[in-house]
Amino acid sequence: MTVDELDRERLAAWLAGQSLVDRPEALVVDPISGGNQNIVARLGDGTRRMVLRRPPRIVPDGRDAAMEREFRLLTALEGTDVPHATPLALCTDHDVLGATFYVMSEVDGWSPAASMFWPEPFAPEHGVAPRRRLALELVRGLATLSAVDWQARGLTGFGRPDGFHERQVDRWTAHWDRFRFRDIPGLTEAGAWLRENVPSRWTPGIMHGDYSFLNVMFRHGPEPALAAVVDWEMATVGDPVLDLAWLMRQWPARAEDVHSRYVDYTGMPLRDEMVDIYRELTGNPLDHYRYYQVLANFKLAIVLEGGYARYLNGEVDNPKVAHYNDSILDAGRVAAELVAGA
């Protein structure tokens, strides 16, 4: 399903019933670039601009519930320092668009995922200082999220922090077994090592689950500031340090590697400095950080393998998913190397 296939009349009527549009007959629905796993569209009737998120054409198991979880989390973040889109309405009636979806405010900002050419002064040719501050703002956003009092925000039951790490290997292996069609080199060794190296002490907090430059937006203008963290479909209450390891998995460790990833990291702090900055911002000593690195790669390989399996089965339309294979094998390799180096 594409945005063009959405039933605009039903959508317009539902939006009017929620008092979100004044002129349903004038509703405009435009696709938004980015988002390989969901349908994301901009809505407007000439007076108000919103964004809709709906599962893909073939709705994977659990994705309707994931939409409800995203909406619940956005609601819980209202009034916190975490920049986010304002949740407006949730629809669980499949007669409207065939799946659960929700509508939120449109964020006024720019997305690093939308273009290879970032606006001034953040393009590489415009100097080092602005890009460094952009990276600092990214890691500061992650630290801010980790500090939210999730219980006070009504998120008890949103995740299961008790036994979080003890469940990780079994949880992700069970997920993998739903679509497994091959072995991924390195994951057996990584899984066995993770079971034996569970952190003894850690502090539960809100996890985004897929935090990176691709899932944030920045405010327009020369001063780097997060406008919103987006794409909360993997969020839970767990160990926020895993978010850091997830973000750092793609981050260059050496100056000669700044051009070799999906983002040009020219002028930004290298991986070790970013980890140190997070440590300073949060006061977390980051004990057992290698464990988090291994788990991030273990989890990433399985998450991407799920999308790749659906692509091979014809359940995903986005051709970008065809390129997941290299990243899957790379994550397995890195996990095994980290275990061997431990």
Side-chain angles (χ1 to χ4, degrees):
M1 175 182 285
T2 65
V3 169
D4 289 339
E5 295 175 279
L6 295 177
D7 190 322
R8 301 190 182 207
E9 289 188 8
R10 287 181 179 269
L11 175 59
W14 180 82
L15 290 169
Q18 301 295 315
S19 300
L20 292 176
V21 295
D22 296 325
R23 298 187 303 142
E25 72 282 357
L27 180 68
V28 175
V29 183
D30 294 319
I32 294 178
S33 60
N36 294 333
Q37 303 299 325
N38 292 291
I39 295 169
V40 186
R42 181 179 292 108
L43 312 177
D45 66 348
T47 59
R48 189 174 194 174
R49 297 173 69 86
M50 300 163 287
V51 171
L52 175 148
R53 273 174 68 83
R54 179 207 184 275
R57 173 176 55 86
I58 299 176
V59 182
D61 290 342
R63 191 61 64 85
D64 283 323
M67 290 287 119
E68 295 185 54
R69 283 175 58 83
E70 285 186 47
F71 190 82
R72 179 184 174 188
L73 181 60
L74 287 173
T75 302
L77 290 176
E78 290 287 273
T80 71
D81 292 333
V82 178
H84 62 283
T86 301
L88 299 175
L90 171 73
C91 179
T92 59
D93 182 358
H94 288 200
D95 287 340
V96 179
L97 292 183
T100 296
F101 68 92
Y102 69 90
V103 176
M104 55 189 158
S105 63
E106 183 179 37
V107 176
D108 184 18
W110 63 275
S111 167
S115 174
M116 294 178 59
F117 305 101
W118 292 1
E120 296 184 15
F122 306 115
E125 62 269 21
H126 293 300
V128 170
R131 292 175 63 79
R132 177 178 174 82
R133 295 200 304 271
L134 204 65
L136 298 182
E137 184 68 9
L138 182 69
V139 74
R140 185 177 294 110
L142 192 56
T144 301
L145 177 63
S146 73
V148 172
D149 186 337
W150 54 277
Q151 291 172 307
R153 305 307 303 176
L155 289 177
T156 299
F158 186 79
R160 292 188 296 151
D162 291 344
F164 175 81
H165 285 294
E166 288 79 3
R167 292 192 305 272
Q168 288 303 293
V169 174
D170 288 341
R171 182 254 187 271
W172 290 108
T173 300
H175 179 66
W176 184 15
D177 286 341
R178 297 174 191 168
F179 50 79
R180 188 190 298 227
F181 65 93
R182 61 174 178 175
D183 289 330
I184 301 174
L187 291 200
T188 298
E189 298 88 337
W193 186 88
L194 287 167
R195 293 182 193 277
E196 297 298 322
N197 290 273
V198 172
S200 57
R201 293 190 305 171
W202 58 280
T203 302
I206 299 174
M207 283 180 55
H208 179 274
D210 192 15
Y211 193 84
S212 74
F213 268 126
L214 300 184
N215 285 329
V216 298
M217 296 181 69
F218 289 93
R219 295 177 187 170
H220 296 294
E223 290 300 318
L226 281 180
V229 181
V230 299
D231 291 0
W232 294 92
E233 63 189 75
M234 294 178 67
T236 190
V237 173
D239 190 336
V241 178
L242 183 54
D243 269 345
L244 174 67
W246 184 274
L247 172 64
M248 290 296 101
R249 204 202 80 81
Q250 290 287 347
W251 209 275
R254 306 177 304 169
E256 54 265 38
D257 293 335
V258 295
H259 302 291
S260 64
R261 312 299 172 114
Y262 66 90
V263 167
D264 186 339
Y265 293 92
T266 300
M268 299 184 191
L270 296 177
R271 183 188 301 165
D272 285 348
E273 185 179 358
M274 289 287 283
V275 173
D276 286 341
I277 292 167
Y278 180 90
R279 183 184 288 112
E280 293 171 2
L281 289 170
T282 62
N284 189 325
L286 300 183
D287 296 334
H288 311 294
Y289 183 61
R290 186 181 296 271
Y291 166 90
Y292 295 94
Q293 293 176 291
V294 175
L295 179 55
N297 282 278
F298 181 86
K299 173 183 170 182
L300 178 67
I302 293 173
V303 169
L304 293 183
E305 185 81 341
Y308 187 55
R310 289 195 297 274
Y311 173 80
L312 294 178
N313 289 333
E315 299 173 12
V316 175
D317 298 328
N318 196 320
K320 292 181 181 179
V321 180
H323 300 292
Y324 281 4
N325 186 56
D326 289 345
S327 296
I328 294 164
L329 298 179
D330 181 63
R333 175 187 60 79
V334 172
E337 290 177 353
L338 285 164
V339 166

